Amino acid sequence: MSQPEIQGYLRPDGRYGIRNLVAVVATMDNAHPTARRIAQTVRGTVTICPGFGRAMMGEDAAQHFRTLTNMATNPNVFGAVVVGLDKKSSHDVAEAIAKTGRPVAAFPIEEVGGTVKATEQGARMAMQLCYDAARQRPVPMPWSEFVLGVECGGSDGSSGLVSNPATGAVADMVVDRGGTVIMSETVEMLGGEHLLAARASDPAVRDKLVKAVGFCVSYAAEHGIDLLGSNPTADNIEGGLSTIEEKALGAIKKGGTRPLMEVIDLGFRPTKKGYVIMDAPAPGVENISSLSAGGCQAIIFSTGKGNTSGHPISPTIKVSGNPFTVEAMRDNIDVDLSAVITRGMPLGEAAAKLEKELIDVIYGKPTSACLLGETEVAISRILRCL
Amino acid sequence: MPKFLVLDPKDNVAVAVEPAKGGEVAELSTGGSLTLNADVPFAHKTALAALKAGDKVVKYGEVIGAAYRDIKPGDHVHVHNIRSLRNEVKK
């Protein structure tokens, strides 16, 4: 089968971005206002404001700064302005970004003398980065360099019938072209993990998957938590999903059908190509942030009841097969596949429509989340601060 | 007649692809039909067979939980009569 040509911006680390973004990165919550002020001053820049960051400890701190840095060095990022309250966090994050060959500068608020000066200096740097980024031209990009994230949120009984299988069919296309697909949301594999385990490329991959899903069961039990109401959520339940198994059996369809090559931890980059699972929490914003840190240049976000979230770095395509949602939430849905239900459109045709949208987005078409600014970042916590 | 999909031959529930009212006759994708005992909203499920409390509920050919009270064919199948088998909560 012929495959469409795609293009990207070649980075010094050898990766290709489908966007050429200048990111304004806050290392901690206390620097969010300055980061947002810089981004408001210099049009076209995007913020990475993930919350928390101050006085975090141990593996929680490691996860925060790894995920933050990997988002800031997503292939879609040309260069970055880093703001933090203190020197250490600002310089550490800037240094990690610089290691990938990207232009970056840090503006620690304590060091430069307050938020007004940090805004002024950060904005000048952001302007310069925008001028420099504009000189770069896209070049042909091999599919083997493309990493697609697949996500579902606001799921309902239609998700497993239409939008997830269509997303899965596009995922298979990407894998067959030599690319990589990352699926996540571990708890939403609970009840379908045997089907994923059977696709594992080797026993170690299978064991890691089974252990990750098992953790969700034991964690809920340990805390006396009934998943009903959390996962499935209240809107999932309203949409017809009765148990976590039912939700999971629909959700895993978004990962397609190809062999499972690797299971990676939250915020890490895959080391294998093909179908990969990232062990990360399911809520939309923290999950798409995890996927973006994993290096996804684009994310397909399947929804039933509707969901508005997109990632500022990784364009997030909303797809739904629910005829009521595509009408009621038209502004927030990019791809309407409701004809599968209303007119019997074959799933293959639905997948082709979704693939066309993905190619358009790779070539620069904005997603609704991007146009409306419905973009947000959150990094999952492991421990609390003291 | 509201349409319902039977997703796998092993399934004992069918999925509404349009909102259905109690008393209506559901047209099944497998060719049969079934009178509904209750409203079944879009993308919700109805039972194809009688289920006793404890019986497994099957959709996509896979177990999605178990009945915790008896269910009759045509009943709305949801959180009021089935629950997860994987999330045991000690009260």
Side-chain angles (χ1 to χ4, degrees):
Chain A
M1 237 176 82
S2 70
Q3 53 186 52
E5 290 173 4
I6 54 174
Q7 63 176 30
Y9 299 89
L10 181 58
R11 304 297 174 209
D13 58 5
R15 297 177 189 273
Y16 292 75
I18 63 165
R19 294 291 182 271
N20 206 25
L21 301 170
V22 173
V24 184
V25 182
T27 67
M28 294 177 184
D29 44 17
N30 46 38
H32 285 189
T34 302
R36 293 196 179 111
R37 216 174 286 123
I38 292 169
Q40 280 160 12
T41 306
V42 185
R43 302 294 170 88
T45 59
V46 295
T47 53
I48 304 180
C49 292
F52 305 109
R54 183 72 164 163
M56 292 173 77
M57 306 178 297
E59 57 177 341
D60 193 35
Q63 177 166 287
H64 181 87
F65 287 101
R66 171 180 75 242
T67 308
L68 177 62
T69 303
N70 280 350
M71 266 192 279
T73 58
N74 179 289
N76 291 345
V77 176
F78 169 82
V81 171
V82 177
V83 288
L85 179 65
D86 64 309
K87 279 191 279 192
K88 186 171 186 334
S89 72
S90 311
H91 289 303
D92 284 354
V93 170
E95 196 178 315
I97 295 169
K99 269 190 194 150
T100 67
R102 286 171 172 77
V104 60
F107 300 93
I109 293 165
E110 289 174 348
E111 190 176 49
V112 303
T115 59
V116 175
K117 284 181 182 166
T119 303
E120 180 194 343
Q121 293 176 24
R124 282 215 183 86
M125 176 70 186
M127 283 181 77
Q128 188 57 53
L129 289 175
C130 288
Y131 290 134
D132 294 345
R135 286 188 203 100
Q136 191 174 355
R137 298 281 178 271
V139 294
M141 168 179 168
W143 274 95
S144 58
E145 290 299 323
F146 183 66
V147 186
L148 174 71
V150 292
E151 159 79 23
C152 59
S155 298
D156 70 5
S158 79
S159 299
L161 301 183
V162 183
S163 53
N164 286 335
T167 302
V170 175
D172 284 350
M173 290 178 203
V174 170
V175 169
D176 294 347
R177 292 166 189 172
T180 302
V181 170
I182 309 180
M183 183 178 100
S184 184
E185 307 179 273
T186 314
V187 73
E188 297 178 10
M189 302 172 198
L190 181 51
E193 73 269 39
H194 58 292
L195 303 173
L196 297 169
R199 288 160 57 190
S201 57
D202 72 50
V205 171
R206 186 190 60 217
D207 292 350
K208 189 166 181 187
L209 173 74
V210 170
K211 202 175 148 197
V213 177
F215 171 81
C216 299
V217 177
S218 55
Y219 189 82
E222 198 180 302
H223 291 85
I225 288 166
D226 187 345
L227 289 175
L228 194 70
S230 161
N231 216 327
T233 58
D235 57 330
N236 297 156
I237 294 167
E238 191 185 69
L241 298 176
S242 309
T243 65
I244 184 61
E245 295 98 309
E246 183 184 16
K247 183 174 177 183
L249 287 159
I252 62 173
K253 291 180 188 295
K254 69 184 180 286
T257 61
R258 300 300 183 248
L260 172 61
M261 303 307 292
E262 190 175 22
V263 177
I264 57 175
D265 292 328
L266 196 160
F268 281 93
R269 298 274 169 88
T271 64
K272 302 251 172 65
K273 297 195 187 297
Y275 173 57
V276 171
I277 284 176
M278 181 186 287
D279 182 16
V285 175
E286 62 183 299
N287 199 265
I288 59 178
S289 297
S290 307
L291 293 172
S292 183
C296 296
Q297 292 108 328
I299 296 168
I300 297 180
F301 192 130
S302 158
T303 185
K305 292 293 283 181
N307 191 302
T308 57
S309 305
H311 195 272
I313 303 293
S314 305
T316 308
I317 301 165
K318 288 287 170 5
V319 54
S320 181
N322 180 325
F324 302 99
T325 299
V326 298
E327 193 59 39
M329 297 210 19
R330 184 188 296 274
D331 298 332
N332 298 99
I333 305 293
D334 295 291
V335 184
D336 169 4
L337 299 183
S338 62
V340 173
I341 282 174
T342 57
R343 290 194 285 105
M345 177 201 266
L347 260 177
E349 206 177 302
K353 187 175 176 187
L354 181 56
E355 188 221 3
K356 185 183 177 303
E357 182 75 9
L358 174 64
I359 302 297
D360 285 347
V361 167
I362 289 174
Y363 275 92
K365 181 180 177 186
T367 63
S368 81
C370 175
L371 280 182
L372 297 175
E374 298 291 348
T375 53
E376 199 53 82
V377 167
I379 300 178
S380 312
R381 299 283 312 256
I382 304 173
L383 305 170
R384 50 163 287 180
C385 287
L386 295 175
Chain B
M1 286 205 296
K3 290 190 176 61
F4 280 68
L5 296 182
V6 182
L7 301 175
D8 186 278
K10 291 194 281 292
D11 288 3
N12 51 23
V13 293
V15 183
V17 290
E18 53 195 287
K21 295 276 177 207
E24 286 189 302
V25 177
E27 181 189 339
L28 302 176
S29 59
T30 45
S33 64
L34 179 73
T35 303
L36 299 171
N37 305 323
D39 292 357
V40 181
F42 170 76
H44 285 230
K45 302 172 290 297
T46 188
L48 294 170
L51 296 170
K52 292 271 176 218
D55 284 354
K56 287 177 176 155
V57 183
V58 179
K59 179 185 171 187
Y60 302 115
E62 300 286 337
V63 175
I64 62 164
Y68 67 83
R69 55 178 59 139
D70 292 352
I71 296 173
K72 297 187 297 296
D75 281 359
H76 180 210
V77 173
H78 202 18
V79 292
H80 60 279
N81 51 22
I82 74 169
R83 63 160 295 126
S84 171
L85 283 167
R86 299 293 303 279
N87 175 214
E88 294 295 330
V89 185
K90 292 188 188 77
K91 296 285 180 192

